[in-house]
Structure formats: structure tokens, C-alpha cells
């Protein structure tokens, strides 16, 4: 069987903030079959998909799987690519691409393995209503920490305080002086900063850190599109307060994966955590979904659902 | 007995680089006696000194001690201050204020505990001919690492290569582009950076680091006197290369002190390490000794010897 496989391409190297016009929806014919003895699996979605044809005995047609797919309707999975079967019944499928997927592991591993929280510690999370931040705040509360998040709108701040259990939250766009804002929200100082933005917010957090403070450097959204925008951390502070800053990627922490899935599933079952998702529909919405991440359009994990799934 | 106790004072808050005129030599009468039952000890030098009168049964007259003293001829040591008796015979007394003192522990603890070196790793040390850097390079060689240092003069660079066993060294003042200089000296990248300077050198080192690189943030001499001078580290590099930057102070690592003293003494006895010291004489030379640290005048540990010792 041959299908038209719609996919999204990036037209050219992106300089600065991505916009919708940097992307294009294309379509290419794809034969839905695999060679005899091939280990290829073909599936039909991004993040979470359904097997349509498989040459790998571990997977069969209609299995629901999660893994690193692509921005297209059908993806050919090469041998050696990690693909996990998921139970399509217990949680919404989207959870396997958000709270139980890489964003979840990033939050879990980053908070537990990099930040090494102790009960009662003061935790600051930036982009706190984003895919990772919204989960870090919840893990921090479950660990007995005091948690303040920042986000870019009143609606997001309200979500943090009213739905996600943050002790406090503020709109950074309304704070002309980030250092004094953090001094106000953390009169006793910050023990842990989970950094998703870099630049000025990172400087302000370091300036407000306590002795032996830890910074998990998870993202630098304010720096991605502007190579000239940089943090200007006070290294004298870093020395005298013995601060550790550590960059990390979730896939270095796969030894935590089983514990992450079992404990997070359990928190979800008992209503102790909630997934925050922002779902658009149709492959053609991928460009605006992606570009919107840089504008702060999303609340929680940004996902694109294909109508076929 | 009453003596005139000469001491150095700082006349006013120092803005920018310290100069000799910020200091003054004064003299105050001091009674060399202690109250009955007092735990006070009076001694006559800075760093390493000799007990002249003691009310503490652990110390007696003429004991040679090392500890945190002051810029004066006689210092009153209050109970609770750590003071260590040293053997005046095995090594020059100055060693107890340099290679066997806080500079040595800083190098030892910073390199072993913060950098966690593995044999064959590539190590970069800034202010490599300074009190700490000159020792870090030697510990790194003893750990089987490849070591390159930078310093601010040809004489210092020659010292590193010819006397201290560095694999290579360069004069940073002759390198208009630190990033490409480090690329030349580390074609396979840097695993460990022992940072004593901060700002542009730190940025350049991070840009040349390998995956899972470690930065021991020990000093920021280029930033101390200029609050506007800051590192502008690329945090995206920190994330993708999973770099750890960690500030530290030696006195958090006192659990290593016994091992530090025994192994370093042993290295000295067998000629595997050497102390680099830059000694001025007379209390009145303290201001120029101190201000000179910021001009890079010193080679190795800057010490001031009092003629009375």
C-alpha cells in the first residue's frame, strides 16, 4: 500500500526567533511495507503513534508506541531506535508524550538527580507553566519544598497557584528588577533554581541563592534565538556561596526511568499530580505550535494531535 | 612586657584595583601577657608564627604554629580559632603558609574533590603560576592528566614548562582570541578547567569543553576589582555538553586535610612537587605585596616574612 506522507520541513537555517514562514508542509509518497527480515517499524504520529506495519517481532500492527518520531504522518523507525509500547487504556495517549514522556523525565531527573532537594528547601522554577517547569514545581511540592514559579501572564500565574500547588508565583514581565523581585519572593534565599531561561533570570537567581545552592541548567529559551544574549553570573558569588550550576539532558538519566514512570503514574492515579497540556490539531499546525514556544504561547506541554490517531 | 605592635590597616573601602596608598602601617602598644585562665595565645607573625606567650595548655612559648593570623607583628589568638603546631625542621617554615597551607589545600581539594580527574583527561589551569594554579598543575600531572596552563609573562610560562612539568603553557596577554588559543592548545577539548580568573577566560574555556566537562570555580581575579566585568558563559553549551561549574572554598573540604598533608609532604620529600614562593621581607611590604597580586607581580605564593622570625 502506498500513502501520501505529509511532513513538515524547515526551509532554511533559522536566524533569530522562528516564525511560521520558516516551515513548509510537504507530501511524499511512502510505501507501507517492509523488506523481509527488516527490523523496521512504520508508525503514524509524533511522540505517540500506532504501528501500521512492522518487520520487528517486538511490535505488531495497532500497537500503541511512544518514541522519538518526526513531524510527519508516517515515520519509518530504524533498528536501534528506542520505541516503547504503551498501555492505551490507563491514561490519555498524550500523557506518554508529556508527563510520562521526555518532559516528565527531564523534570524528574533534573529535580531529583541534579538538584538533590531536601525537605523544606526553597525552590525557584522559571517558565514554571511550561512542559518541564509545571512538573518540576509539582515534584518539588511532593518533596516537601517551598516553591515559587515565574511565568509570562496572569493566566499562567493563576494556574501555578490555583491548580498546580505552587506556594507562590509571579509574572516576570511585570518585574522591572528581577533581583529585587526574587528577594521579595525568597526573603530566606533560594536553595535550588531550576533554570529554563538563562540570561538575566539566571543572574538574578544566583544573586539570591543561599550557601551551597544548586542550579539545574535545563534550558535557556531566552538565549536560543539570540546568541548575543547571555547570562552575566557573578562568579564571586558562585565561589563564596559555593554554588553548583549543572547542565543536563534527560537521556543521561535513564537509570531513573523505571522509578520515574512508576512513581509518576502513581501520583497521577491518586490525583497528586496533573498533566498540563496544550494541544493543537493537524500536522499543518506544527509550525505555529513550534514558533509559539518562543513567544510563550503554550501553557504546559505543547502537543500536536493528528486526527488519524 | 609591653611591645609596639606594628600592623597594617586598610584606610578606606577600596573601589577598583587596590594600590599601596590604600594601606597604612600603624603601631599600637600591646601587653604581652594573658589573663589567668585565659585561652588566648599571642604570636608574632602571619600565616606561620612563633608563640611568645600562651594561656592555652596546648601551646607553649616558642612553639611554631600555622593558622589564620593578621597583618601585624603580634596577633592575639582567641579561643576557638584553629591553630596548628608545625614541625619547624622538616620543611622551610614558609611551606606551611603555601604548599602545605590553605593554597595547597585549595589546589588539592579543588582538583581532587571538585574536578574528580580521571587519568588521561585534559586539564586547563588559569593563573597557572600563582599560589594555587602552580600546585593544581602539579597535582594534575601526578594524576596522569595532560595539563596546559596560562600565565601573564614569558618568565612565568617558562617556569610552568621547565620547572613545574606542565605539558604546555601560554601567555594569555599575547592571545587576542582566547577561544581559538584554547582550541590550538586543546585540539581534543578540555575536560577540566580550574578557574582562577573568571570573565572572558571562563567563557573561552566553556566553549572548548568536552561533554561532561567540569569547572572548579576557585577564583575570579579579573572580576574582583571590577563588578561590571563578568563571564558571559554560553548556557546552551552548558546544557548540551552537560557541564558542571562549581564554586568552592577549601575549608569545606577539611575532611581531606590529613590526606592532603601526608601525600603532599611525601611528594615534596621525593622531589615530585615543588613549592613556588615569592617572598618579600618586612611588614611594610604587605601593601605592595597585596596590590601586586592584582597586577600579576607575584610568581607562586606571595608571602611576607617578618625579620623577627
Amino acid at each position: 500500500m502506498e500513502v501520501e506522507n505529509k511532513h513538515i520541513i524547515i526551509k532554511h537555517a533559522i536566524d533569530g526567533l522562528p516564525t511560521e514562514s520558516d516551515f513548509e508542509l510537504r507530501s511524499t509518497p511512502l510505501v507501507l511495507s517492509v523488506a523481509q527480515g527488516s527490523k523496521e517499524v512504520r508508525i503514524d504520529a509524533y511522540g505517540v503513534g500506532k504501528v501500521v506495519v512492522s518487520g520487528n517481532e517486538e511490535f505488531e500492527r495497532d500497537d500503541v508506541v511512544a518514541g522519538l518520531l518526526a513531524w510527519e504522518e508516517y515515520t519509518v523507525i530504524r533498528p536501534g531506535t528506542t520505541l516503547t509500547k504503551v498501555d492505551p487504556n490507563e491514561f490519555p495517549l498524550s500523557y506518554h508524550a508529556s508527563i510520562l514522556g521526555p518532559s516528565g523525565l527531564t523534570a524528574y531527573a533534573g529535580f531529583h538527580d541534579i538538584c538533590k532537594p531536601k525537605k523544606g528547601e526553597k525552590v525557584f522554577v522559571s517558565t514554571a507553566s511550561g512542559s518541564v517547569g509545571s512538573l518540576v514545581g509539582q515534584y518539588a511540592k511532593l518533596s516537601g519544598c517551598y516553591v515559587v514559579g515565574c511565568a509570562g501572564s496572569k493566566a499562567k500565574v493563576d494556574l501555578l497557584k490555583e491548580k498546580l500547588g505552587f506556594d507562590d508565583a509571579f509574572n516576570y514581565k511585570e518585574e522591572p528588577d528581577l533581583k529585587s523581585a526574587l528577594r521579595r519572593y525568597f526573603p530566606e534565599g533560594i536553595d535550588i533554581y531550576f533554570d529554563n531561561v538563562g540570561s538575566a533570570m539566571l543572574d538574578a537567581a544566583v544573586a539570591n541563592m543561599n550557601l551551597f545552592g544548586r542550579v539545574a541548567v535545563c534550558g535557556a529559551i531566552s538565549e536560543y534565538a539570540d546568541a548575543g544574549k547571555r547570562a552575566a553570573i557573578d562568579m564571586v558569588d558562585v565561589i563564596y556561596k559555593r554554588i553548583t550550576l549543572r547542565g543536563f539532558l534527560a537521556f543521561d538519566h535513564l537509570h531513573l526511568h523505571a522509578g520515574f514512570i512508576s512513581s509518576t503514574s502513581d501520583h497521577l492515579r491518586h490525583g497528586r499530580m496533573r498533566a498540563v497540556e496544550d494541544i493543537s490539531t493537524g500536522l499543518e499546525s506544527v509550525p505555529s505550535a513550534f514558533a509559539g514556544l518562543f513567544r510563550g504561547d503554550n501553557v504546559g506541554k505543547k502537543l500536536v494531535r493528528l486526527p488519524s490517531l
Side-chain angles (χ1 to χ4, degrees), chain A:
Chain A
M1 191 175 102
E2 186 177 293
V3 294
E4 276 299 306
N5 186 22
K6 287 187 194 151
H7 58 277
I8 301 284
I9 58 126
I10 298 174
K11 289 194 285 184
H12 40 242
I14 299 175
D15 189 20
L17 290 173
T19 64
E20 285 77 346
S21 62
D22 295 321
F23 304 92
E24 198 171 285
L25 179 69
R26 292 216 181 136
S27 186
T28 322
L30 181 71
V31 178
L32 289 184
S33 67
V34 286
Q36 280 296 334
S38 160
K39 292 283 183 190
E40 289 179 9
V41 180
R42 293 192 180 176
I43 58 176
D44 66 356
Y46 173 81
V48 178
K50 195 184 277 181
V51 177
V52 290
V53 55
S54 171
N56 180 325
E57 62 195 9
E58 291 178 45
F59 297 95
E60 58 187 42
R61 191 186 161 109
D62 292 333
D63 276 350
V64 178
V65 292
L68 195 60
L69 313 180
W71 286 351
E72 59 188 359
E73 291 184 299
Y74 298 89
T75 295
V76 178
I77 299 294
R78 309 277 165 197
T81 306
T82 304
L83 205 59
T84 314
K85 258 188 267 197
V86 301
D87 172 357
N89 301 312
E90 181 164 23
F91 300 113
L93 288 188
S94 59
Y95 280 25
H96 300 287
S98 68
I99 190 168
L100 297 172
S103 299
L105 181 60
T106 299
Y108 183 91
F111 186 66
H112 293 291
D113 224 17
I114 306 288
C115 300
K116 303 194 189 307
K118 291 187 277 288
K119 199 176 164 183
E121 285 194 313
K122 313 288 184 284
V123 177
F124 174 50
V125 187
S126 55
T127 68
S129 72
S131 57
V132 174
S134 60
L135 303 176
V136 170
Q138 296 182 75
Y139 286 127
K141 285 312 301 172
L142 288 165
S143 302
C145 296
Y146 178 84
V147 190
V148 178
C150 75
S153 74
K154 183 176 185 305
K156 290 177 179 178
V157 167
D158 290 347
L159 172 80
L160 298 176
K161 292 200 281 192
E162 288 159 24
K163 306 280 189 194
L164 300 183
F166 281 63
D167 294 288
D168 212 336
F170 65 93
N171 180 351
Y172 69 90
K173 293 178 181 169
E174 292 177 353
E175 296 292 348
D177 180 344
L178 295 173
K179 265 183 211 172
S180 54
L182 288 177
R183 202 170 307 126
R184 227 165 53 235
Y185 286 98
F186 291 95
E188 294 170 43
I190 298 168
D191 298 302
I192 290 170
Y193 172 41
F194 197 99
D195 183 22
N196 292 305
V197 301
S199 69
M201 191 68 86
L202 176 54
D203 303 341
V206 166
N208 280 281
M209 284 208 115
N210 289 331
L211 294 188
F212 302 102
R214 289 136 274 156
V215 179
V217 188
C218 177
I221 189 87
S222 72
E223 300 185 26
Y224 293 147
D226 184 350
K229 202 167 181 182
R230 291 281 171 85
I233 301 164
D234 186 340
M235 299 311 290
V236 181
D237 255 7
V238 170
I239 298 166
Y240 285 102
K241 299 198 292 194
R242 287 88 103 192
I243 292 170
T244 300
L245 299 104
R246 190 169 157 202
F248 76 101
L249 294 176
F251 74 80
D252 295 324
H253 301 266
L254 292 176
H255 60 286
L256 297 178
H257 191 263
F260 152 65
I261 291 292
S262 71
S263 66
T264 306
S265 300
D266 206 50
H267 290 320
L268 285 168
R269 274 177 212 119
H270 293 87
R272 294 188 297 254
M273 285 187 82
R274 60 167 77 196
V276 186
E277 298 177 339
D278 185 338
I279 304 180
S280 306
T281 301
L283 193 66
E284 61 283 1
S285 68
V286 165
S288 70
F290 183 72
L293 293 174
F294 293 82
R295 296 187 295 251
D297 289 353
N298 59 306
V299 179
K301 178 70 177 178
K302 184 71 213 176
L303 297 166
V304 175
R305 183 179 161 275
L306 300 193
S308 51
L309 196 67

